[in-house]
Amino acid sequence: MPRLNLYSRFSLRRLLRHGRAEVRRSLQARTVALAVILTLAVAIVFSGVSITSVCASLLNQITQQSRNDYSNMVQQTQTSLDAADVSSTVQVQQLVNDLASSLQSIGSPHDSIVISDIKAS
C-alpha cells in the first residue's frame, strides 16, 4: 500500500506539472498568435492610409496642373483676341467659337456653362 500511495502522489505531481506546462505553452501560442494578428491589422491599416494619402496627393497635383493649363489657354486666347485685327462681327464670332471649342476639348463637363456664356456674349 505505501508504494501505491507514493506512486499516486508522484503521478499527481507529474500530472500537475505537465498540465501547467501545457497551459503555459498554450498561453504562449495564443500570445504569439495575437501579436501576429495585431501586427497584420496595423500593417493593413497603415497601407490603407498610405494609399489614400498618395491618391489624394496625386489627385491634387493633377487638378492643379489642369487648372494651370486651363488658365494658360485662356490667357493665350485673350492675347490672340487682343492682337487680332477684328474688323467684323463674323471674325469675332469665329474667334470666340474657336476659343469655346478649344476649352471644351480640354475642359470638364461643368465648363459647358461657361462656354455657352462665352458664345452668347
Side-chain angles (χ1 to χ4, degrees):
M1 279 295 250
R3 282 186 165 175
L4 185 60
N5 193 4
L6 180 62
Y7 183 73
S8 65
R9 283 186 185 173
F10 181 72
S11 288
L12 184 60
R13 288 181 187 169
R14 185 174 179 202
L15 183 62
L16 287 174
R17 240 181 301 154
H18 181 67
R20 286 181 192 154
E22 285 296 319
V23 168
R24 195 176 317 119
R25 277 192 292 262
S26 176
L27 182 61
Q28 288 172 347
R30 283 185 278 163
T31 304
V32 169
L34 182 62
V36 168
I37 290 170
L38 288 176
T39 302
L40 288 174
V42 168
I44 290 170
V45 168
F46 181 72
S47 297
V49 169
S50 296
I51 289 171
T52 303
S53 176
V54 167
C55 287
S57 176
L58 288 174
L59 183 62
N60 286 338
Q61 287 176 357
I62 291 169
T63 302
Q64 188 60 37
Q65 184 63 40
S66 296
R67 286 180 181 162
N68 290 342
D69 292 345
Y70 188 80
S71 177
N72 289 339
M73 181 164 275
V74 169
Q75 288 175 355
Q76 289 174 358
T77 305
Q78 184 63 44
T79 303
S80 297
L81 284 172
D82 292 342
D85 181 21
V86 193
S87 58
S88 72
T89 307
V90 174
Q91 288 176 332
V92 170
Q93 188 60 40
Q94 183 60 40
L95 286 171
V96 169
N97 286 338
D98 290 346
L99 168 64
S101 296
S102 295
L103 291 175
Q104 203 165 23
S105 69
I106 65 163
S108 62
H110 71 276
D111 292 336
S112 60
I113 297 169
V114 175
I115 293 168
S116 63
D117 289 344
I118 291 172
K119 285 184 177 181
S121 62

